[in-house]
Amino acid sequence: MTGTGTLPPMDYTNILVDVSDGVGRVTLNLPDRRNAMSLALLEELRQALRGLGEDSSVTIVVIEGAGPVFSAGHDMSEMVDREPEFHNALFSVCTDVMLSIQSMPQPVIAKVHGVATAAGCQLVAACDLAVVTDDSRFATPGVRIGLFCSTPMVPITRAIGRKRALEMLFTGEMISAETARDWGLVNRVVPAEELETEVTRLIGQITRFSADVIAIGKNAFYEQIDHPQTDAYAITEPIMAGNAAHPDAQEGMGAFLEKRQPRWGTE
């Protein structure tokens, strides 16, 4: 890890981690293996995300892949002729990674190019937001090798709905970036040369607001999203009431009434 974060630096073998100007960047760094999500990579990714989530200097996180693709999913070469304990550990750590993304206070953006398949597609779906190149493609092709994408379907179904998810899961076919945007898997599609610019633009749109308030809102979103409407209101009502008393909410409302720009936190 490099940069100016508050956490001590750590050495990683399978990923790169950088913190600069409040942005935590995590790069899957196995380009020769199409950023396959080996157990070792997933363990490092889990550690990095947990660390970034606890770093008060980080206001937003970007996950991307080195080389020609974002991620081709799990590393098949380490999954053959293994004991059940290995498979249990692999999918347990993978689930931890996906849940860590949604439980950390900062928004997490997937910055995607090339293909994102199986667990790679799962990672995109698990991120809060996704900006992708117009040549990106997405698939859950596990059915083709006899390993149904059961864990990837969890965030994918929640992003795109039942019928579209089942079509991806049953056929294993690739969908284009434009289709992924139309279905709700990703947010923005741009030419490859504009990917970093668009990610930076999105970062700027989010980080101009209170980091504390964004964290409150993100937590509330995931806490209520799978509940029926009445239960969702029961969850969010006290959260919003508590938010109203937060110093940044008081500052923001005061600034609105006084027709001036708010000053968040210690600004």
Side-chain angles (χ1 to χ4, degrees), residues 167-240:
E167 181 177 341
M168 291 184 69
L169 292 159
F170 287 160
T171 69
E173 295 290 337
M174 290 276 190
I175 63 171
S176 68
E178 296 291 345
T179 298
R181 181 179 60 188
D182 292 344
W183 286 6
L185 182 61
V186 308
N187 299 88
R188 303 184 182 185
V189 178
V190 297
E193 63 272 16
E194 297 178 16
L195 181 59
E196 177 59 28
T197 299
E198 190 64 24
V199 169
T200 301
R201 181 181 297 116
L202 182 56
I203 289 171
Q205 290 177 317
I206 296 170
T207 56
R208 60 185 172 138
F209 303 120
S210 163
D212 282 355
V213 171
I214 291 288
I216 291 169
K218 175 176 174 175
N219 177 71
F221 178 86
Y222 287 113
E223 192 170 347
Q224 63 81 34
I225 190 62
D226 293 320
H227 289 272
Q229 179 173 271
T230 301
D231 294 341
Y233 274 120
I235 291 167
T236 56
E237 180 184 324
I239 293 174
M240 193 159 189

Side-chain angles (χ1 to χ4, degrees), residues 42-88:
L42 286 166
E43 287 174 335
E44 290 186 5
L45 185 55
R46 177 175 62 178
Q47 181 182 26
L49 291 172
R50 288 178 175 176
L52 290 168
E54 296 170 0
D55 190 335
S56 60
S57 77
V58 176
T59 57
I60 200 160
V61 174
V62 177
I63 300 178
E64 57 191 295
V69 306
F70 179 75
S71 174
H74 287 296
D75 188 344
M76 297 296 106
S77 67
E78 70 173 11
M79 296 178 65
V80 177
D81 296 328
R82 302 299 295 262
E83 295 297 319
E85 290 77 14
F86 176 84
H87 295 138
N88 291 338

